Amino acid sequence: MTVTEDIASGPARRKRAGGRAGGRIRAGTAVIDQMPWRIPENPDRPTEPLDEAGVEALHRGCMTILRDIGIEFLNPEACAILRQAGCRVEGTNVRMDEDFVMEMLAHAPASFTITPRNPGREIVIGGRHMVFVNVSSPPNAWDLERGKRPGDFETFREFMKLTQYFNCIHVAGGYPVEPIDIHPSVRHLDCLREKLILTDKVVHAYSLGAERVEDVMEMTRLAGGLSHEAFEARPRMYTNINSVSPLKHDHPMLDGAMRCARRGQAVIVTPFTLAGAMAPVTMAGAVALSLAEGLSAIALLQYINPGCPVGIGTFTSNVDMKTGAPAFGTPEYMRATQMTGQMARFYGLPLRSSGVCAANIPDGQAMWETSNSLWAAVQSGTNMVYHAAGWLEGGLIASPEKFVMDCEVLQMIQRYFEPATWATTPEDIALDAIAEVGPQGHFFGCQHTQDRYSTAFYAPIASDWRNFEAWSLDGAVGTAERAHRIYKAILEEFEPPPMEDAHRAALEEFVARRKQEGGAPTDF
Amino acid sequence: MTVTEDIASGPARRKRAGGRAGGRIRAGTAVIDQMPWRIPENPDRPTEPLDEAGVEALHRGCMTILRDIGIEFLNPEACAILRQAGCRVEGTNVRMDEDFVMEMLAHAPASFTITPRNPGREIVIGGRHMVFVNVSSPPNAWDLERGKRPGDFETFREFMKLTQYFNCIHVAGGYPVEPIDIHPSVRHLDCLREKLILTDKVVHAYSLGAERVEDVMEMTRLAGGLSHEAFEARPRMYTNINSVSPLKHDHPMLDGAMRCARRGQAVIVTPFTLAGAMAPVTMAGAVALSLAEGLSAIALLQYINPGCPVGIGTFTSNVDMKTGAPAFGTPEYMRATQMTGQMARFYGLPLRSSGVCAANIPDGQAMWETSNSLWAAVQSGTNMVYHAAGWLEGGLIASPEKFVMDCEVLQMIQRYFEPATWATTPEDIALDAIAEVGPQGHFFGCQHTQDRYSTAFYAPIASDWRNFEAWSLDGAVGTAERAHRIYKAILEEFEPPPMEDAHRAALEEFVARRKQEGGAPTDF
């Protein structure tokens, strides 16, 4: 028998008979019995590798970078604002003192909400809350049927349906694949229209030019049927910006961040510091550089609009020193994430990290790397997990099978957070049941079990817990193939969430008008 | 393209060019560059879901079971000893008071060593130390070439070679597969002879009858060239006993444990409490029952030989309530492991847990379940991880591919424990390198990187970090197939560790004599 036969063979379709009650997206026809929507709260004390001196050393390193080396702000407006704020600006190089940075950080809220067009999908970013974002920005897709291919709009739509379907995905982040069959000038219009119709979850704008950011804010406002005042009264969407490590913020990212900040929309600042490439080969050095880059942009935004919602992201990993290839979910990645978590708490900022792997297909390596990165998210006290479902090949591939498999892991993390799993009331310790069953009995039949069995344990969606023989007789279907079937079934049965006709009409009208105007310039 | 083509196709053999220095088993011909032998130390503060009241509640529950419900000791000798110790014995039911239990537990060492025939392979059980044990006791094997089949002696030998080869496997525990081609009366003689020749790591005796335990102790003594006094002067091997949950210890397990304890050899007591089956459906109930069973046997052993080396094991998981199938690596499993870790520290006992999954083949599910259980081991402060490499199908299958894949995860955990990954010295924070490279540069070429690149990061053994195109051109070999090739290459090049001729001769002579005598009775 080969892995071929084991993983992909067999015509039999396993019937998924249900499990945990209450998780159905809609009655009757649910493909899978998933957990209900919730904003998970992480009850664990974070894993903190740094002692107090380590935190102080990283803080000092970060402040020294900001004061003595400086960050390049490739945006004249940002430079002018920072000069006005008292920073030392020479050309594009901006140096800031600790007092200024810490004063600005003190404005930043430790926690904030983002409210999408369906207020029932409001998320909290901060505190013990942890939300999961779909895979964002791969240029390519891979699935079991079609292999690897460039992203297109139909594939984008498939991922939007998965994003909406799974209750454990809280945010419709960036484009799950880049739809290259749509011209870049209007891509954001088509993508956001589709996203705002196919999902009712929090959406995101790429900071790739003023028009794109402004259009997405306007589309989010229209899809929610909001006045301009209502839109700006609280965060309704967000952007995520990446620095150009080492030590640089580019023009469009800063522009988009400033536009969002001015209108009270959320900004996550996520440097991408690969140790050994665009960051020092030592993890603490890569983290210090990442923090300096992130804090410098956050200081700018807090100066522009004190108290505006911001978060700091970490994307610190290492390269393979033999090939230069980026590695993800490594031990070094985990410690960097935990260290950044300690520093985010030190600075009072919500933390974003990611669910990542270097693997090319959704196999064993993909899942141990992704598990490592997701457990690092838990251990670090991460508030927002980007790429939590669907990511492969270091972010170059989005895979629907991986999306389903990751959602299994995310659901398990949500269940892991439930206090029922460690409750120690007398009913939990169950001495009466132990006495009743005694040394000869079995607990399955006792009343204590019967009262609880339907909700006692995590009920899987893609895992197959049957023994080898039962599993073989049913076709010996491997994990990736099971996930593929779930993905297909979800697409078949998908229905978009309700949307008021007037809101949809306003959205469509806006898109039509902006397309007529030519969309966004594509020469930046 | 199908998963078939992606995972198994392609004739190309990826050359593994090395990486981390110093990890070669022997010069020149190493199949893989693995990490050197070490006893890992877990620096993390354990994840502790229970507050003080929760610990107290579990303790009270456990003591109430021992005092009011009692444990069945299906061994007259054990009952007589416990009666003499002041316990209330009625038939096989033994009730013990808290004072007695706690007095006995106070004798147990918090940490101990086990020294095999090669003293360089001595292990520490306790404190922050964490050792990894090969998969033990599956009846069947599965590999990519041969599929599932019953265990046999040749397969047993293959797994012993893997156990010896990998530096991250510290203990040659139970039989990786049950060799059914050898008669049960002499199986332990052949297996232990082979284990003691093919490995120089700590070995284990099954407590399945007096002769087996005594034979293994004698074989361990002879293989090490030890006098009887030297053998008994310190732990040289160990046994692991399982209770027959709920509430029972059987005759041979108790017999073997008492024999080992009397001669100062180590005993791990591991109840197997599946919540909803042989334990309450609530996790705290399953943990309380497991603890009560475990502590009752440990109290017996400490009464027999105060201070003898013991550990408490946890094997608390849940069943799938729809099918009754055992589940592993679930959220409930993780919390049960963490809770037991808290209680082990409360009682001052070393903790054993496991690396487990329910998956039938080494695919995505196998690795997320195994990752969950291994991270639970880390989070719980586990000292000894059974089944750390090679386990599938809830322990019914041992797989060499899974063995190799798990060793990758174990090595990553070992690297994760290294303080270098979170060091914050000035050289780590690397301000000089950041200033030197500046905003336009790349860190690869700078001296700070050149001085460190060869040991800066974890170097993988089975992971493929190349991009999709390079990986495809080289045959698109999936994780399980890569692991298969590594397993085959290890077997080809395997050389047993050195052994003194006289010790080997004494071992062979003993085995021959005991076989002539008929080995062990098989009618128990």
Side-chain angles (χ1 to χ4, degrees):
Chain A
M1 201 182 306
T2 67
V3 77
T4 300
E5 286 156 352
D6 280 306
I7 290 188
S9 73
R13 165 81 181 281
R14 182 181 175 203
K15 289 208 181 83
R16 308 208 63 89
R20 171 178 304 279
R24 292 177 184 247
I25 272 278
R26 52 182 194 280
T29 59
V31 175
I32 55 171
D33 254 353
Q34 61 175 326
M35 295 172 87
W37 166 274
R38 91 250 325 247
I39 305 297
E41 290 188 56
N42 180 350
D44 285 359
R45 190 165 52 182
T47 299
E48 303 201 316
L50 300 177
D51 58 15
E52 214 171 301
V55 170
E56 179 64 19
L58 266 184
H59 171 58
R60 290 264 68 80
C62 178
M63 292 299 134
T64 304
I65 294 168
L66 291 173
R67 186 192 61 211
D68 296 344
I69 301 175
I71 306 289
E72 307 295 307
F73 280 74
L74 307 180
N75 183 303
E77 185 188 3
C79 286
I81 293 168
L82 288 167
R83 180 177 290 116
Q84 183 200 333
C87 301
R88 282 157 291 139
V89 181
E90 294 175 24
T92 54
N93 180 272
V94 180
R95 303 183 191 204
M96 355 185 129
D97 289 332
E98 177 170 352
D99 285 351
F100 170 71
V101 175
M102 296 305 281
E103 187 191 332
M104 292 304 107
L105 293 180
H107 296 311
S111 180
F112 56 87
T113 59
I114 309 180
T115 313
R117 70 173 176 90
N118 175 357
R121 303 289 198 182
E122 180 173 280
I123 62 172
V124 191
I125 308 282
R128 291 196 166 274
H129 301 283
M130 189 175 192
V131 298
F132 302 125
V133 187
N134 64 295
V135 60
S136 300
S137 310
N140 302 301
W142 180 95
D143 67 51
L144 275 176
E145 266 179 57
R146 293 171 286 186
K148 183 175 178 179
R149 61 212 162 80
D152 59 24
F153 194 52
E154 190 47 40
T155 308
F156 172 94
R157 296 182 78 248
E158 287 190 357
F159 280 104
M160 276 301 120
K161 292 174 183 175
L162 294 176
T163 297
Q164 174 66 14
Y165 183 85
F166 279 103
N167 292 327
C168 62
I169 301 296
H170 306 96
V171 176
Y175 309 161
V177 289
E178 195 68 35
I180 60 163
D181 51 344
I182 298 184
H183 193 275
S185 60
V186 297
R187 193 178 288 166
H188 68 290
L189 296 168
D190 281 334
C191 285
L192 263 292
R193 181 195 55 203
E194 212 63 15
K195 189 188 283 192
L196 285 163
I197 290 170
L198 291 178
T199 88
D200 59 3
K201 299 180 180 179
V202 166
V203 301
H204 149 278
Y206 283 105
S207 283
L208 294 173
E211 294 79 5
R212 289 184 176 78
V213 176
E214 295 292 346
D215 284 349
V216 172
M217 285 196 277
E218 187 62 7
M219 291 168 75
T220 303
R221 185 185 74 78
L222 293 170
L226 301 169
S227 67
H228 286 281
E229 294 65 34
F231 178 80
E232 297 193 9
R234 59 201 303 185
R236 302 286 182 176
M237 47 73 74
Y238 75 103
T239 190
N240 179 85
I241 67 166
N242 306 115
S243 46
V244 185
S245 303
L247 300 168
K248 286 188 296 295
H249 289 289
D250 74 9
H251 185 282
M253 290 282 179
L254 286 170
D255 180 76
M258 292 190 289
R259 286 177 191 277
C260 285
R262 287 195 177 102
R263 295 180 66 182
Q265 305 305 307
V267 181
I268 313 294
V269 184
T270 311
F272 180 23
T273 46
L274 277 179
M278 54 280 245
V281 75
T282 44
M283 299 318 291
V287 169
L289 177 62
S290 175
L291 287 168
E293 293 174 4
L295 296 184
S296 70
I298 289 173
L300 166 69
L301 301 176
Q302 292 302 326
Y303 183 77
I304 290 173
N305 183 4
C308 67
V310 294
I312 191 155
T314 171
F315 215 99
T316 300
S317 192
N318 60 285
V319 295
D320 180 347
M321 293 309 285
K322 295 197 290 291
T323 64
F328 295 102
T330 60
E332 291 81 9
Y333 173 93
M334 297 182 76
R335 289 302 191 188
T337 306
Q338 294 168 355
M339 284 193 276
T340 308
Q342 288 191 257
M343 299 311 294
R345 289 185 289 282
F346 177 81
Y347 294 120
L349 296 171
L351 175 68
R352 172 219 140 159
S353 71
S354 303
V356 285
C357 64
N360 292 310
I361 51 172
D363 64 355
Q365 179 188 333
M367 295 321 293
W368 76 57
E369 291 177 337
T370 300
S371 292
N372 280 359
S373 63
L374 290 174
W375 283 112
V378 172
Q379 295 162 339
S380 64
T382 288
N383 303 110
M384 185 182 211
V385 184
Y386 247 67
H387 313 299
W391 155 301
L392 283 176
E393 203 203 357
L396 297 176
I397 287 176
S399 156
E401 294 88 358
K402 179 73 168 17
F403 199 110
V404 173
M405 291 161 69
D406 288 340
C407 283
E408 180 87 287
V409 178
L410 298 179
Q411 286 206 149
M412 285 196 283
I413 289 173
Q414 291 193 163
R415 170 63 179 165
Y416 168 88
F417 287 167
E418 289 181 7
T421 57
W422 68 87
T424 52
T425 68
E427 290 70 37
D428 288 292
I429 294 182
L431 295 180
D432 291 346
I434 292 170
E436 175 195 332
V437 170
Q440 308 305 333
H442 194 284
F443 285 81
F444 191 79
C446 76
Q447 196 58 44
H448 181 265
T449 302
Q450 292 301 311
D451 290 345
R452 291 166 179 80
Y453 79 94
S454 65
T455 57
F457 307 130
Y458 175 68
I461 53 178
S463 297
D464 193 324
W465 290 346
R466 295 174 300 176
N467 67 20
F468 191 93
E469 281 62 38
W471 170 81
S472 293
L473 281 171
D474 200 13
V477 180
T479 305
E481 174 66 24
R482 295 196 301 273
H484 183 80
R485 295 177 186 186
I486 293 169
Y487 137 66
K488 289 295 210 182
I490 289 171
L491 292 192
E492 261 175 47
E493 303 197 13
F494 182 81
E495 286 172 22
M499 187 174 195
E500 278 192 38
D501 290 343
H503 300 169
R504 176 157 179 166
L507 177 64
E508 300 279 13
E509 188 185 16
F510 177 83
V511 168
R513 176 168 64 78
R514 290 286 297 122
K515 282 188 171 182
Q516 268 192 324
E517 293 169 2
T522 55
D523 60 343
F524 65 85
Chain B
M1 201 183 307
T2 68
V3 78
T4 299
E5 288 156 354
D6 279 305
I7 291 188
S9 72
R13 167 82 180 282
R14 181 180 175 205
K15 288 209 181 82
R16 307 207 63 88
R20 173 175 303 277
R24 294 176 182 247
I25 274 277
R26 54 183 192 284
T29 59
V31 174
I32 54 171
D33 253 353
Q34 60 175 325
M35 293 170 89
W37 165 275
R38 91 253 322 247
I39 306 297
E41 290 188 57
N42 180 350
D44 285 359
R45 191 166 52 183
T47 299
E48 302 201 317
L50 300 176
D51 59 14
E52 215 172 301
V55 170
E56 179 65 20
L58 266 184
H59 172 57
R60 290 264 68 80
C62 179
M63 293 299 134
T64 304
I65 294 169
L66 291 173
R67 186 190 62 213
D68 296 345
I69 300 175
I71 306 290
E72 307 295 307
F73 280 73
L74 307 181
N75 182 304
E77 185 189 2
C79 286
I81 292 168
L82 289 168
R83 180 178 288 114
Q84 183 200 333
C87 300
R88 283 156 290 138
V89 181
E90 294 175 26
T92 54
N93 181 273
V94 180
R95 303 183 191 204
M96 353 185 132
D97 288 332
E98 178 170 351
D99 286 351
F100 170 72
V101 175
M102 295 306 279
E103 187 191 333
M104 293 302 107
L105 293 181
H107 297 313
S111 181
F112 57 87
T113 59
I114 310 181
T115 312
R117 71 173 176 90
N118 176 357
R121 303 289 199 183
E122 180 173 279
I123 61 171
V124 190
I125 308 283
R128 291 196 165 275
H129 301 284
M130 188 175 194
V131 297
F132 301 125
V133 186
N134 63 296
V135 60
S136 300
S137 310
N140 303 301
W142 180 94
D143 67 52
L144 274 177
E145 264 178 60
R146 294 172 285 188
K148 184 174 178 179
R149 63 213 162 77
D152 58 25
F153 195 52
E154 190 46 40
T155 308
F156 172 94
R157 297 183 77 248
E158 286 190 358
F159 280 104
M160 277 301 122
K161 292 174 183 175
L162 294 177
T163 296
Q164 175 66 13
Y165 183 86
F166 279 103
N167 292 327
C168 62
I169 301 297
H170 305 96
V171 177
Y175 309 160
V177 289
E178 196 67 35
I180 60 164
D181 51 345
I182 299 185
H183 194 274
S185 61
V186 298
R187 193 178 288 167
H188 67 290
L189 297 169
D190 281 334
C191 285
L192 263 291
R193 181 194 56 201
E194 213 62 14
K195 189 188 283 194
L196 286 163
I197 291 171
L198 289 178
T199 87
D200 58 3
K201 299 180 179 178
V202 166
V203 301
H204 149 279
Y206 282 106
S207 284
L208 294 173
E211 295 78 6
R212 287 185 178 78
V213 177
E214 295 292 347
D215 284 349
V216 172
M217 284 196 276
E218 187 63 4
M219 291 168 75
T220 304
R221 186 184 73 78
L222 294 170
L226 301 169
S227 68
H228 285 280
E229 294 66 34
F231 178 79
E232 297 193 10
R234 59 201 302 184
R236 303 285 182 176
M237 45 75 71
Y238 75 102
T239 191
N240 179 86
I241 67 166
N242 306 114
S243 47
V244 185
S245 303
L247 298 168
K248 285 188 299 293
H249 289 290
D250 74 8
H251 186 280
M253 290 282 180
L254 287 171
D255 179 75
M258 291 190 290
R259 286 177 189 277
C260 285
R262 286 195 177 103
R263 296 182 64 183
Q265 304 307 306
V267 182
I268 312 295
V269 184
T270 311
F272 181 23
T273 45
L274 277 178
M278 54 279 246
V281 74
T282 43
M283 298 320 290
V287 169
L289 177 61
S290 175
L291 287 168
E293 293 174 3
L295 296 183
S296 69
I298 289 172
L300 166 68
L301 301 176
Q302 292 301 327
Y303 183 78
I304 289 173
N305 183 6
C308 67
V310 293
I312 191 153
T314 172
F315 215 98
T316 299
S317 192
N318 60 285
V319 295
D320 180 348
M321 293 309 287
K322 296 196 290 292
T323 64
F328 294 102
T330 61
E332 292 81 9
Y333 172 93
M334 296 183 76
R335 289 303 190 190
T337 305
Q338 294 169 354
M339 284 194 277
T340 309
Q342 289 191 255
M343 300 310 296
R345 287 186 290 281
F346 178 82
Y347 294 120
L349 297 171
L351 175 68
R352 172 219 139 158
S353 71
S354 304
V356 284
C357 65
N360 292 310
I361 50 172
D363 64 357
Q365 179 188 332
M367 295 321 294
W368 76 57
E369 291 177 337
T370 300
S371 291
N372 280 359
S373 63
L374 290 175
W375 283 112
V378 172
Q379 295 162 339
S380 64
T382 288
N383 303 110
M384 186 182 210
V385 184
Y386 247 67
H387 313 299
W391 154 301
L392 283 176
E393 201 201 358
L396 297 176
I397 287 177
S399 156
E401 293 88 357
K402 179 75 167 19
F403 199 110
V404 172
M405 291 160 69
D406 288 340
C407 284
E408 180 87 287
V409 179
L410 299 178
Q411 285 207 148
M412 285 195 284
I413 289 173
Q414 293 193 162
R415 170 62 180 167
Y416 168 89
F417 287 168
E418 290 181 8
T421 57
W422 68 88
T424 53
T425 68
E427 290 71 36
D428 288 292
I429 295 182
L431 295 180
D432 291 346
I434 292 170
E436 175 195 331
V437 170
Q440 306 306 331
H442 194 286
F443 285 82
F444 191 78
C446 75
Q447 195 59 43
H448 181 265
T449 301
Q450 292 302 311
D451 291 345
R452 291 165 178 82
Y453 79 95
S454 64
T455 56
F457 307 131
Y458 174 69
I461 53 178
S463 297
D464 193 325
W465 290 346
R466 293 174 300 176
N467 68 20
F468 190 93
E469 281 61 40
W471 169 82
S472 293
L473 281 172
D474 200 14
V477 180
T479 305
E481 173 65 22
R482 294 196 301 273
H484 183 81
R485 295 176 187 188
I486 292 169
Y487 136 67
K488 288 295 209 182
I490 290 172
L491 292 192
E492 260 175 48
E493 304 196 12
F494 182 82
E495 287 172 22
M499 185 173 197
E500 279 193 36
D501 290 344
H503 301 169
R504 176 156 178 167
L507 177 65
E508 299 280 15
E509 189 186 19
F510 177 83
V511 169
R513 176 169 66 75
R514 288 289 296 123
K515 283 189 172 181
Q516 268 193 326
E517 292 169 5
T522 55
D523 60 343
F524 66 86

